[in-house]
Amino acid sequence: MDDAHQDVIEALARVKAEIARAEKDHGRKAGSVTLVAVSKTMPATRIRSALVAGQRVFGENRVQEGQEKWPGLRAEFPGIELHLIGPLQTNKVKEAVALFDVIETLDREKLAKEIAKEIARAGRAPKLYVQVNTGAEPQKAGILPGETDDFIRLCRESHGLIVSGLMCIPPAEEPPSPHFALLGEIARRNGIAVLSMGMSADYDPAIQLGATHVRVGSAIFGARH
């Protein structure tokens, strides 16, 4: 492999070792945390470096970008699990259900309704995580914490959706741990086992507070352009 991409392989190994160390330090079972390598804006050549190194779970922000990169990579590498971690517009639901194995950004009833219709039509059901706006930031997507229980119930009872996880992105200027703890509390109340929380700068405290999935991009692929 080209030396220019050796840095991706080394960085991926470093992140995996740090996740394993955090699992051990915080009394988590070895292998209980899944690394979602965030490949948004990254070219297929850099993603291929991670694939060659054995990484199989990836996150993309945009449906269109995922459509451009992943069909070819999936033909090359078996066993890929692709997560949508960016906002989903209702007019992109058909494409998202077809392409992604996990949609982490379910955050409003209109979207829940469209996803339910497309799952019924296509016969393909990605795993669904509800995005919670733990910091109640007006510019950020996600259900407010106080409305999350009702929204999960609505998804399950009114639209027949299986909500298997929760996701959050804490405010950049605040300590993340209270937000991770809040997401864990909501998950416990609603019988949800999957917590997607923690990114390049804060996945250690996320693992300490129960993350099952951490979304790491720049620590693997370098700064985005």
Side-chain angles (χ1 to χ4, degrees):
M1 175 158 297
D2 193 315
D3 287 345
H5 301 296
Q6 189 65 27
D7 58 338
V8 172
I9 294 171
E10 292 172 358
L12 178 64
R14 214 162 31 240
V15 168
K16 287 184 172 180
E18 288 168 359
I19 289 171
R21 186 160 54 246
E23 287 173 337
K24 186 176 180 182
D25 289 349
H26 301 307
R28 300 286 302 278
K29 183 180 176 183
S32 61
V33 178
T34 297
L35 169 62
V36 181
V38 178
S39 51
K40 65 179 184 181
T41 77
M42 291 296 155
T45 50
R46 285 184 81 71
I47 298 169
R48 193 174 283 108
S49 302
L51 284 160
V52 167
Q55 178 65 20
R56 287 295 180 271
V57 185
F58 291 84
E60 288 284 345
N61 253 39
R62 295 172 61 245
V63 175
Q64 187 174 343
E65 186 184 347
Q67 287 176 308
E68 290 165 1
K69 293 190 295 195
W70 284 98
L73 290 168
R74 275 189 155 143
E76 232 181 300
F77 296 92
I80 289 170
E81 180 178 288
L82 196 56
H83 291 230
L84 179 63
I85 59 172
L88 177 57
Q89 298 172 329
T90 52
N91 65 350
K92 293 287 186 182
V93 165
K94 181 178 179 179
E95 293 91 338
V97 168
L99 179 66
F100 290 94
D101 304 292
V102 182
I103 295 172
E104 297 203 15
T105 50
L106 175 56
D107 66 351
R108 58 199 186 280
E109 184 178 10
K110 187 179 179 184
L111 182 59
K113 188 176 180 180
E114 288 301 314
I115 289 174
K117 276 167 51 180
E118 183 56 26
I119 286 172
R121 189 199 70 80
R124 186 177 194 273
K127 293 178 182 176
L128 301 174
Y129 303 173
V130 166
Q131 181 174 354
V132 183
N133 187 349
T134 56
E137 297 174 274
Q139 80 283 9
K140 193 174 283 182
I143 292 284
L144 294 173
E147 298 172 3
T148 303
D149 291 359
D150 287 341
F151 180 66
I152 292 169
R153 191 177 308 112
L154 180 78
C155 289
R156 288 170 167 169
E157 296 178 4
S158 297
H159 300 293
L161 295 173
I162 298 171
V163 177
S164 58
L166 300 180
M167 183 270 256
C168 76
I169 306 169
E173 69 283 357
E174 294 183 19
S177 291
H179 296 272
F180 298 152
L182 174 60
L183 199 71
E185 289 170 14
I186 296 169
R188 281 189 288 276
R189 283 203 304 269
N190 289 281
I192 290 172
V194 174
L195 291 171
S196 175
M197 58 188 195
M199 297 185 287
S200 288
D202 57 16
Y203 59 82
D204 184 277
I207 291 169
Q208 181 180 13
L209 288 162
T212 61
H213 292 67
V214 294
R215 309 180 306 274
V216 180
S218 57
I220 297 169
F221 295 109
R224 297 186 188 93
H225 302 295

